[in-house]
Amino acid sequence: MQDTPYRVDIAENGAIACEKFTAGHYDLVLMDRQMPVMDGLTATRGFRKWEQANHRPPTPIIALTAAALKGDREKCVAAGCTAYLTKPIKQAVLLQAIKEYSILAPPSSKEESSRKDTIIVRANPKFADLIPGFLQNRRQDVIAMLDALDRGNFETVESLGHGMKGAGDSYGFQAITDIGAALEQTAESADTDASRKWVGELSRYLDRVEIISD
């Protein structure tokens, strides 16, 4: 984008977007809902399925739609979108959204430093088979909490934080318990900035954690 630090790669339709996404690395995706060949929500579902199959953390996806139709936000979130903007979109609003949601993007550090930043967690043998699903659900919580904070819905954030506080340590993830407790507290205080900070901490932790089992 001109006069910004961002590099942009354009896909002419949803099918090409899927090809580019699986072949490259993107910090954030702006997804047009209406595209030829394959629409934006179908492409988004394809992105999420590929990420899950390849054990990748969810890339932030901002849906762009021409009309604020009732139920549009819910459809976007259900498909796996992180956020939602309605056209016409002012540049300042778009840039703010990119800045805000790129907190979810995995760090673009070299492979070597990424390895150094890895958090090793020894799996509780009783829950070994359940842990991948548990972590994937926490990644979905990241998306759900950011969407809830967009709408000022602190009750959802508080509830999800409370659930993490209870379940994290049981599965062997003390950090998730601690982050859940912090989220429960900041949501109870209706503190948007602090809540976003802790959601970002959760996302970064999920990007770095690696499970080993005996």
Side-chain angles (χ1 to χ4, degrees), residues 119-141:
I119 300 167
I120 304 294
V121 174
R122 190 173 296 280
N124 182 334
K126 286 194 293 185
F127 297 114
D129 293 341
L130 302 173
I131 283 174
F134 171 77
L135 294 176
Q136 183 58 32
N137 287 338
R138 301 298 71 76
R139 292 187 178 100
Q140 292 302 319
D141 286 348

Side-chain angles (χ1 to χ4, degrees), residues 147-208:
D147 179 67
L149 288 169
D150 277 351
R151 294 179 283 116
N153 178 1
F154 291 100
E155 191 177 328
T156 293
V157 179
E158 186 178 347
S159 173
L160 290 172
H162 181 77
M164 279 185 271
K165 184 178 76 171
D169 196 38
S170 302
Y171 282 85
F173 299 96
Q174 182 61 44
I176 291 180
T177 286
D178 295 343
I179 292 170
L183 278 164
E184 185 179 25
Q185 187 177 354
T186 57
E188 193 177 357
S189 306
D191 188 332
T192 302
D193 290 342
S195 295
R196 286 193 186 281
K197 172 186 171 288
W198 283 110
V199 173
E201 287 294 325
L202 174 61
S203 180
R204 282 188 287 276
Y205 176 80
L206 292 170
D207 286 348
R208 294 167 57 200

